[in-house]
Amino acid sequence: MSSDRIADLSNMACDVLEIYSGKFETPDSPDWILMKLTEELGELTGAWLQNQSQARGCATDQDVADELADVLGFLLVFAAKTGIDPSETLRRKWGAYLPDAH
């Protein structure tokens, strides 16, 4: 995924957070976003376990995908609010492990 594409998704996520914060009167601070990200990761875990018949209840593949979207959205918003470029950071940290990086 190109950094332009990630930037577009980050902008979209930040726009949605503005709507969400206005509608539900929630803060948009990095602290709150990080807590919300943690909550969404728990929901993703729960949906995955249900989808895999490892927890009570049931979740469809779409439920898992929707929870993944929430995690990704809040992660991108957290990065934007803290001034972290997700593309650059991932390339620097994870890209260092690729054979052609040395």
Side-chain angles (χ1 to χ4, degrees):
M1 182 177 299
S2 73
S3 59
D4 288 343
R5 176 82 184 211
I6 291 175
D8 290 345
L9 293 172
S10 293
N11 290 334
M12 180 191 67
C14 288
D15 290 346
V16 170
L17 181 70
E18 282 186 40
I19 295 166
Y20 182 95
S21 294
K23 182 176 181 179
F24 297 107
E25 298 180 3
T26 60
D28 65 353
S29 68
D31 293 345
W32 184 85
I33 294 163
L34 188 57
M35 287 185 279
K36 187 66 175 167
L37 176 59
T38 302
E39 175 191 351
E40 295 298 344
L41 184 56
E43 291 177 8
L44 173 59
T45 302
W48 176 253
L49 291 173
Q50 289 175 342
N51 182 269
Q52 299 299 301
S53 300
Q54 296 180 30
R56 280 182 259 167
C58 61
T60 65
D61 291 346
Q62 187 62 55
D63 294 330
V64 173
D66 288 348
E67 294 303 337
L68 179 71
D70 290 344
V71 169
L72 182 57
F74 278 104
L75 183 61
L76 290 172
V77 169
F78 179 77
K81 293 285 184 177
T82 57
I84 297 170
D85 180 334
S87 297
E88 171 58 31
T89 300
L90 190 61
R91 280 189 187 92
R92 179 188 53 76
K93 178 82 165 70
W94 285 48
Y97 294 98
L98 296 175
D100 60 350
H102 301 299

